[in-house]
């Protein structure tokens, strides 16, 4: 099938993660993403290792981090500080549908590459700015990073054990969610352009995006006025829905309704816990959380993990293991869905570079570019020829 975004050109003036993540997502969906990188240096994350992908010449061809966010793009080296470099970027912008940048607020104005400077000569351009705090407000001019966003937006205060320190999520979720929201905004703007014929300005921010995904916890606070507390792996609104000890490790049991709770109790050989009127519904179980979880944990701790999971699956009770990443990429479901990529690369010593595809399937086509992340400046000559500069 023709890829959904085939024919769309994206100019990426972004580095690190949030902006490049949006660019990679668009590239996976078929867009031609041209990544403009600083001459001689490139995206900062090219050096964020180890680990690095080893090249055929014994030198590395970029960190694993860089390859995680730049699949399927073309790279051109340019110097923003020079008149020639700025002229080329403006010419590329005029031939693009979308521009993504993540400079500090006003950072591109001095180069004449901000939205205000480009919108008249590029009236159909969708211009997406990704920052820490957005284009306005008291913090707008501050630099923003994922860890700061997780802390300032309340996510860390919700994560961790009650007696432990606030904890960041194990991946840069503020960056990633901002990249995803940026993509949603870009696609919506492209649809609006079909009607109006005009481009627009898309403003996304790490803190906004992190506040935006607080979901049930945000509403728990806004409705009740009570500040949620850290409760480890338990659920703020459902009991039992958490990690339980087993005789040889841990298992997740995620009951979503009273019927599943009854089945869970029956699997544990404790139907009386389901029949107790104080625990018969979720409201009661929430009220008596510590007692209920204590009793259930005593019973799960007597069973081996895989035996417990098999019995729960047989009864239709949602449950699962806690996998490390080796187990994840060997899991039959993950393998079947083709989440791990092996992209051919002439530059890599192994002849290929691994990746993780965009988790979208169109009519059986699993969204992912066939090309790995580019070498620094790999496509400079080709891109210049395409715009009549060579």
């Amino acid at each position: 099938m023709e890829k959904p975004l085939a024919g769309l050109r994206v100019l990426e003036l972004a580095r690190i993660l949030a902006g490049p993540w949006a660019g990679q997502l668009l590239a996976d969906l078929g867009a031609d993403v041209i990544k403009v990188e600083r001459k001689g240096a490139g995206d900062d994350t090219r050096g964020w290792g180890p680990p690095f992908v080893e090249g055929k010449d014994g030198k590395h061809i970029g960190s694993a981090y860089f390859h995680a966010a730049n699949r399927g793009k073309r790279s051109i080296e340019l110097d923003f500080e020079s008149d020639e470099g700025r002229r080329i970027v403006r010419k590329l912008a005029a031939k693009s549908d979308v521009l993504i940048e993540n400079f500090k607020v006003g950072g591109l104005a001095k180069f004449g590459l901000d939205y205000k400077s480009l919108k008249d000569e590029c009236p159909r351009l969708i211009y997406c700015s990704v920052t820490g705090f957005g284009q306005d407000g008291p913090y707008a001019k501050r630099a923003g990073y994922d860890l700061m966003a997780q802390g300032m937006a309340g996510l860390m205060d919700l994560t961790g054990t009650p007696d432990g320190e606030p904890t960041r999520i194990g991946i840069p979720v503020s960056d990633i969610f901002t990249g995803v929201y940026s993509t949603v905004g870009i696609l919506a703007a492209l649809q609006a352009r079909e009607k109006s014929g005009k481009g627009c300005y898309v403003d996304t921010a790490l803190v906004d995006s992190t506040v935006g995904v607080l979901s049930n916890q945000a509403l728990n606070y806004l409705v009740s006025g009570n500040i949620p507390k850290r409760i480890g792996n338990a659920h703020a609104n459902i009991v039992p829905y958490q990690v339980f000890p087993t005789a040889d490790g841990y298992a997740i049991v995620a009951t979503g309704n009273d019927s599943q709770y009854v089945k869970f109790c029956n699997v544990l050989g404790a139907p009386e816990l389901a029949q107790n009127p104080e625990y018969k519904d979720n409201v009661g179980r929430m009220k008596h959380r510590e007692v209920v979880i204590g009793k259930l944990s005593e019973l799960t701790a007597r069973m081996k993990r895989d035996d417990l999971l098999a019995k729960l699956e047989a009864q239709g009770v949602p449950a699962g293991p806690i996998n490390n990443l080796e187990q994840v990429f060997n899991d039959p479901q993950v393998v079947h869905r083709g989440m791990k990529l092996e992209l051919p690369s002439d530059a890599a010593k192994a002849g290929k570079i691994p990746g993780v595809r965009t988790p979208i399937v169109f009519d059986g086509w699993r969204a992912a570019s066939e090309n790995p992340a580019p070498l620094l400046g790999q496509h400079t000559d080709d891109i210049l020829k395409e715009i009549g500069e060579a």
Side-chain angles (χ1 to χ4, degrees), residues 20 77 89 197 291 310:
E77 287 184 278
V89 173
V291 174

Side-chain angles (χ1 to χ4, degrees), residues 5 37 41 179 266 291 293 320 364 386:
L5 298 184
E37 301 192 71
N266 290 340
V291 174
I293 296 303
E386 290 170 8

Side-chain angles (χ1 to χ4, degrees), residues 120-199:
D120 290 337
E121 61 188 87
C122 307
R124 289 177 54 82
L125 183 67
I126 308 300
Y127 192 112
C128 178
S129 290
V130 181
T131 57
F133 300 95
Q135 296 297 306
D136 49 27
Y139 303 158
K141 292 188 180 297
R142 295 185 186 179
Y145 293 89
D146 178 87
L147 180 61
M148 292 169 56
Q150 289 197 37
M152 295 180 73
L155 191 59
M156 287 176 64
D157 192 57
L158 296 170
T159 307
T161 57
D163 56 349
E165 69 177 11
T167 304
R168 67 179 287 273
I169 305 297
I171 57 170
V173 291
S174 295
D175 275 325
I176 291 170
F177 274 122
T178 305
V180 173
Y181 277 130
S182 295
T183 304
V184 172
I186 288 166
L187 295 177
L190 288 167
Q191 176 62 22
R193 191 180 72 177
E194 289 296 305
K195 301 174 184 177
S196 69
K198 298 179 181 179

Side-chain angles (χ1 to χ4, degrees), residues 90-369:
R90 293 177 78 92
K91 194 168 183 179
L92 285 169
K95 294 180 177 293
S96 298
D97 297 284
V98 177
L99 186 153
I100 303 171
E101 63 91 5
N102 64 349
F103 284 70
K104 291 181 183 179
V105 172
L108 285 176
K110 62 182 178 181
F111 302 122
L113 298 173
D114 58 320
Y115 178 65
K116 183 178 180 181
S117 299
L118 292 177
K119 67 176 182 178
D120 290 337
E121 61 188 87
C122 307
R124 289 177 54 82
L125 183 67
I126 308 300
Y127 192 112
C128 178
S129 290
V130 181
T131 57
F133 300 95
Q135 296 297 306
D136 49 27
Y139 303 158
K141 292 188 180 297
R142 295 185 186 179
Y145 293 89
D146 178 87
L147 180 61
M148 292 169 56
Q150 289 197 37
M152 295 180 73
L155 191 59
M156 287 176 64
D157 192 57
L158 296 170
T159 307
T161 57
D163 56 349
E165 69 177 11
T167 304
R168 67 179 287 273
I169 305 297
I171 57 170
V173 291
S174 295
D175 275 325
I176 291 170
F177 274 122
T178 305
V180 173
Y181 277 130
S182 295
T183 304
V184 172
I186 288 166
L187 295 177
L190 288 167
Q191 176 62 22
R193 191 180 72 177
E194 289 296 305
K195 301 174 184 177
S196 69
K198 298 179 181 179
C200 72
Y201 187 66
V202 179
D203 169 11
T204 58
L206 270 65
V207 172
D208 289 0
S209 297
T210 312
V211 173
V213 299
L214 293 178
S215 58
N216 61 303
Q217 289 284 43
L219 267 293
N220 287 345
Y221 164 68
L222 294 173
V223 168
S224 71
N226 297 320
I227 300 173
K229 303 298 183 183
R230 292 190 296 282
I231 53 176
N233 293 311
H235 195 290
N237 296 93
I238 307 172
V239 175
Y241 188 110
Q242 64 178 73
V243 173
F244 284 92
T246 66
D248 55 353
Y250 295 92
I252 294 168
V253 182
T255 65
N257 56 51
D258 296 336
S259 173
Q260 290 173 353
Y261 170 68
V262 171
K263 293 176 181 177
F264 182 25
C265 293
N266 290 340
V267 164
L268 296 178
E272 68 279 3
L273 289 179
Q275 296 164 4
N276 189 319
E278 291 187 326
Y279 314 149
K280 69 177 182 178
D281 59 28
N282 189 63
V283 173
R285 294 192 296 276
M286 285 282 290
K287 183 178 180 180
H288 300 284
R289 180 195 293 269
E290 291 187 10
V291 174
V292 174
I293 296 303
K295 292 179 180 294
L296 293 172
S297 295
E298 288 180 6
L299 296 170
T300 62
R302 301 172 186 173
M303 301 180 67
K304 290 188 174 181
R305 187 197 71 172
D306 290 350
D307 290 342
L308 173 61
L309 293 180
K311 290 180 179 180
L312 291 172
E313 181 177 359
Q315 294 299 314
V317 179
I322 300 172
N323 290 332
N324 62 35
L325 293 194
E326 181 180 24
Q327 293 167 327
V328 168
F329 288 108
N330 286 316
D331 184 276
Q333 182 67 20
V334 176
V335 171
H336 177 82
R337 295 290 287 180
M339 290 304 300
K340 179 184 175 182
L341 301 173
E342 295 285 0
L343 303 175
S345 169
D346 292 336
K349 182 178 181 180
K352 59 186 179 180
I353 299 174
V356 180
R357 73 170 177 86
T358 289
I360 302 172
V361 180
F362 290 90
D363 288 337
W365 173 69
R366 293 165 175 167
S369 171

Side-chain angles (χ1 to χ4, degrees), residues 53-62 67 343-353 372-375 378:
V53 175
E54 188 175 358
K56 286 188 175 179
D57 61 0
K59 299 178 181 179
H60 76 73
I61 55 172
H67 284 274
L343 303 175
S345 169
D346 292 336
K349 182 178 181 180
K352 59 186 179 180
I353 299 174
L375 302 176
Q378 179 179 346

